[in-house]
Amino acid sequence: MMDAIEKKLLKEVADLDALPVGAYNIRANGQPGGRHTTANIDITTKADKPGIDIHIKPGTVNESVHIPVILSQTGLKDLVYNDFYIGENADVTIIAGCGIHNCGGADAQHDGIHTFYLAKNAKLRYVEKHYGEGEGRGKRLMNPTTIVHLAEGAHMEMETTQIAGIDDTLRKTSGDLAAGASLVVHDKIMTTGNQHAIADFAVDLNGDGCSANVISRSVAKDKSQQEFISRLNGNCACAGHTECDAIIMDHACVLASPQLTANNVDASLIHEAAIGKIAGEQLVKLMTLGLTEKQAEDQIVNGFLK
Amino acid sequence: MLELKHVGFETEGNKEILHDVNLTINDRFVAITGPNGGGKSTLAKVIAGIYTPTAGQILLDGVDITNLSITERANLGVSYAFQQPVRFKGLQVHDLLGLAAGKDTTVNEACNYLSEVGLCARDYIDREIDASLSGGELKRIEIAMVLARATKLSIFDEPEAGIDLWSFQNLIRVFEKMYERTRGTILIISHQERILNIADTIVVIKGGQVDKVGPRAQLLPCLLGSADAGGACSVLADKVEGVRG
Ligand SMILES: Nc1ncnc2c1ncn2[C@@H]1O[C@H](COP(=O)(O)OP(=O)(O)OP(=O)(O)O)[C@@H](O)[C@H]1O
Ligand SMILES: [Mg+2]
């Protein structure tokens, strides 16, 4: 049975009040916390290392898999390897998420290494949310790694969010795309206090007609630090776009370092980066509607990360 | 009632933009016009609290608001639709309409404001107020926000700019309706005869000063005449007054 803290974490990261419908695997404090499989979706525990294998049969549509991880024990370091195999022509949603509640003095850490294999024409929407809370002095750390392999015509949409409470994070995302495949990443992050976050994207565009679009929106407050690193390698006739749009406040620091490599004349690669404070006229407009400066700021930040 | 007493405004670089502006606005419907760069928008910003006057006093219903912040003035009942509306990444039309109305607006209420300014609510309610909106669309949403606020003083800065011809007549109707519905004052900065035509009072701002102020019947012929008749205007106006008197 889950206690109140664990239930709250589950609600934050997976928007779940009760056990999800469809397939799921819950990991709580490094231990299995419940599993359900369906006729088309199988989940098995790895024999050689911590983690699970998720197999989705070809042609599976309108099904979802929830794989939340929650940590509420101080001092726990959790490392998992999860591999996902999405069959040809499947069209599914996977919702992952990690919540840490650390009220003790020792660091709590979760590192998840997720590898996706999308077969021909498979479609996947992958949602990942990170959340931390707890009054303890111990840090809340997360280092998610996502590796995606997209076969011909496969399409993956990734939405990753980290809005509060993680002290230190290194998010690594890498991918390779075959002909006609497409990858879209929406990454949202907000850091406060002394938090430090690095987002590192590397995508190899290998097959003609493939495309990648990485869009990052971030807000850095207080003394927090963020780094956005992106590397796109265009090895064929392909389209690549990365965008880093950051609001910086207080004494925060944001670094964007995009790298584009075109190894083919037909590779079209674009990077856009904009880092700046909240536009004064935006604050003024909301203040003329009766909001205080602080309320205006909150509205602008919330809207930006919505 | 809005009173401006000897209001002046200088920029930080000591450039004087408004000089000794004296105005008492009693009428319900006032149009401000005048040449480009004359100081109309600056005056609106001084009234809304976006700029703090460097001289003089501003009174709203007898209350000195000269040193009040933008927020305080907004809460006392001042609304300002910008000449150049602001775009926001991520905020949606219904978010801003809700903030403007000052409460959780139902989708229905928000839709009514949009319909009023000629936007099909269904298409716009969830749109982001970002670069994807056209200039005219943005301008209409800006007007809808002031409608949603329904305060005692509503300032519109060139509301007709970028609004297409067909909609122009509807825009006039928006102001007429607002005039009937609210008990407040509507202050419209405009270069358009058709808008000046519905004003009770017309104010001409030129070179950072009040150049002329008077009832529409008196000022409008003179303003329209001055476009082709040059300086003959004031003489003519005096004569008209003389005949009437
Ligand atoms: N912040 C500022 N710093 C320097 N000059 C300014 C500033 N704001 C306005 N001005 C100048 O003050 C003058 C009045 O500007 P304002 O925008 O009030 O004119 P306006 O009457 O609204 O003109 P328009 O009809 O073109 O909208 C202009 O010459 C403008 O360049
Ligand atoms: Mg102006």
Side-chain angles (χ1 to χ4, degrees):
Chain A
M1 270 308 289
M2 276 190 273
D3 63 22
I5 287 174
E6 291 172 351
K7 278 184 181 158
K8 172 155 188 280
L9 290 176
L10 201 57
K11 169 89 181 131
E12 286 290 343
V13 301
D15 214 7
L16 290 176
D17 286 315
L19 289 176
V21 277
Y24 63 84
N25 187 81
I26 299 171
R27 185 176 174 88
N29 292 316
Q31 301 299 317
R35 175 178 299 174
H36 185 248
T37 58
T38 70
N40 294 321
I41 301 176
D42 197 24
I43 304 176
T44 51
T45 305
K46 277 188 187 298
D48 54 338
K49 51 190 174 185
I52 49 176
D53 286 322
I54 296 175
H55 286 269
I56 296 173
K57 282 190 183 159
T60 304
V61 292
N62 295 330
E63 286 200 48
S64 63
V65 187
H66 280 83
I67 47 159
V69 171
I70 50 185
L71 256 71
S72 58
Q73 270 174 21
T74 187
L76 193 71
K77 281 195 168 59
D78 192 24
L79 169 69
V80 289
Y81 297 84
N82 295 337
D83 293 336
F84 305 81
Y85 299 88
I86 321 292
E88 279 185 27
N89 297 309
D91 185 351
V92 292
T93 300
I94 296 176
I95 296 163
C98 177
I100 298 182
H101 178 99
N102 191 356
C103 52
D107 296 353
Q109 177 166 357
H110 175 77
D111 296 346
I113 297 166
H114 290 181
T115 308
F116 293 87
Y117 300 89
L118 271 69
K120 272 189 192 170
N121 299 319
K123 267 193 182 165
L124 171 64
R125 179 165 166 256
Y126 175 60
V127 182
E128 189 183 285
K129 204 168 158 188
H130 287 175
Y131 171 77
E133 60 173 30
E135 298 305 314
R137 275 177 300 107
K139 288 192 167 174
R140 300 175 294 263
L141 313 169
M142 279 186 204
N143 296 311
T145 298
T146 309
I147 303 157
V148 307
H149 304 289
L150 272 57
E152 279 167 38
H155 174 72
M156 177 163 174
E157 232 174 283
M158 218 173 126
E159 293 164 30
T160 53
T161 313
Q162 178 174 315
I163 298 299
I166 304 301
D167 294 298
D168 214 291
T169 180
L170 167 61
R171 177 192 296 283
K172 272 190 127 140
T173 306
S174 63
D176 52 73
L177 280 64
S182 60
L183 172 67
V184 178
V185 181
H186 285 275
D187 183 41
K188 290 179 198 168
I189 183 161
M190 180 162 85
T191 52
T192 57
N194 289 311
Q195 294 170 0
H196 185 222
I198 303 175
D200 181 335
F201 299 93
V203 181
D204 285 310
L205 298 155
N206 296 336
D208 282 350
C210 69
S211 70
N213 190 5
V214 178
I215 299 155
S216 154
R217 277 200 180 176
S218 73
V219 175
K221 290 185 176 178
D222 306 323
K223 286 183 182 166
S224 64
Q225 295 188 1
Q226 294 183 10
E227 282 175 58
F228 175 88
I229 302 158
S230 66
R231 274 165 291 155
L232 285 188
N233 297 316
N235 303 322
C236 55
C238 60
H241 176 246
T242 59
E243 185 181 323
C244 162
D245 204 341
I247 291 180
I248 177 171
M249 296 163 77
D250 313 310
H251 301 284
C253 166
V254 175
L255 180 148
S257 93
Q259 183 182 309
L260 304 175
T261 310
N263 293 314
N264 185 301
V265 286
D266 291 317
S268 153
L269 307 174
I270 298 170
H271 175 75
E272 295 174 82
I275 302 173
K277 64 178 178 195
I278 294 176
E281 56 170 21
Q282 293 184 337
L283 290 171
V284 165
K285 179 72 244 181
L286 296 190
M287 283 154 71
T288 65
L289 301 182
L291 277 69
T292 62
E293 187 167 350
K294 179 77 181 70
Q295 290 168 332
E297 210 174 86
D298 289 348
Q299 285 290 339
I300 294 165
V301 165
N302 287 343
F304 186 71
L305 293 175
K306 196 159 62 182
Chain B
M1 186 171 74
L2 179 72
E3 286 172 278
L4 301 171
K5 294 181 178 172
H6 308 292
V7 168
F9 176 69
E10 277 181 18
T11 62
E12 276 165 29
N14 291 329
K15 184 181 174 220
E16 189 179 47
I17 299 179
L18 295 178
H19 178 76
D20 197 30
V21 174
N22 291 289
L23 262 182
T24 301
I25 290 172
N26 263 326
D27 283 307
R28 297 274 320 283
F29 208 135
V30 177
I32 299 183
T33 191
N36 292 137
K40 302 178 296 296
S41 295
T42 306
L43 185 64
K45 287 175 189 166
V46 162
I47 296 169
I50 297 168
Y51 294 157
T52 309
T54 41
Q57 249 191 328
I58 306 171
L59 304 170
L60 182 67
D61 286 340
V63 179
D64 188 338
I65 61 166
T66 319
N67 294 309
L68 296 189
S69 68
I70 304 173
T71 310
E72 289 165 323
R73 293 187 204 200
N75 291 328
L76 278 180
V78 179
S79 299
Y80 176 39
F82 290 14
Q83 182 171 5
Q84 265 136 6
V86 181
R87 295 176 196 265
F88 295 86
K89 271 187 194 161
L91 285 177
Q92 288 161 314
V93 171
H94 66 84
D95 292 329
L96 282 202
L97 285 174
L99 291 174
K103 55 185 162 94
D104 280 335
T105 36
T106 62
V107 171
N108 233 336
E109 286 168 310
C111 286
N112 286 340
Y113 299 126
L114 289 176
S115 312
E116 252 181 67
V117 295
L119 293 177
C120 173
R122 208 162 283 286
D123 297 346
Y124 287 93
I125 196 81
D126 291 329
R127 286 282 296 271
E128 271 187 44
I129 311 213
D130 61 5
S132 71
L133 285 174
S134 80
E137 289 166 342
L138 196 62
K139 200 74 189 174
R140 291 171 190 228
I141 291 162
E142 184 79 3
I143 295 167
M145 278 196 268
V146 170
L147 294 181
R149 273 176 60 69
T151 50
K152 63 178 159 197
L153 176 63
S154 304
I155 308 170
F156 296 91
D157 200 341
E158 299 195 22
E160 77 276 9
I163 303 270
D164 55 74
L165 274 177
W166 179 84
S167 307
F168 199 93
Q169 208 45 49
N170 293 309
L171 185 69
I172 302 263
R173 236 166 266 145
V174 167
F175 295 124
E176 284 171 344
K177 255 201 209 161
M178 193 177 178
Y179 185 86
E180 284 159 24
R181 247 195 338 229
T182 70
R183 321 204 97 260
T185 296
I186 303 168
L187 200 71
I188 304 188
I189 298 172
S190 176
H191 299 289
Q192 281 292 328
E193 182 186 342
R194 278 191 282 177
I195 287 189
L196 301 185
N197 242 325
I198 54 172
D200 302 320
T201 300
I202 296 177
V203 179
V204 181
I205 300 285
K206 193 173 158 185
Q209 288 180 293
V210 177
D211 182 54
K212 295 186 184 71
V213 55
R216 176 191 66 220
Q218 187 185 327
L219 269 187
L220 194 57
C222 138
L223 287 173
L224 297 176
S226 71
D228 29 73
C233 162
S234 63
V235 182
L236 205 68
D238 291 344
K239 277 189 185 153
V240 170
E241 274 306 289
V243 171
R244 277 193 192 141

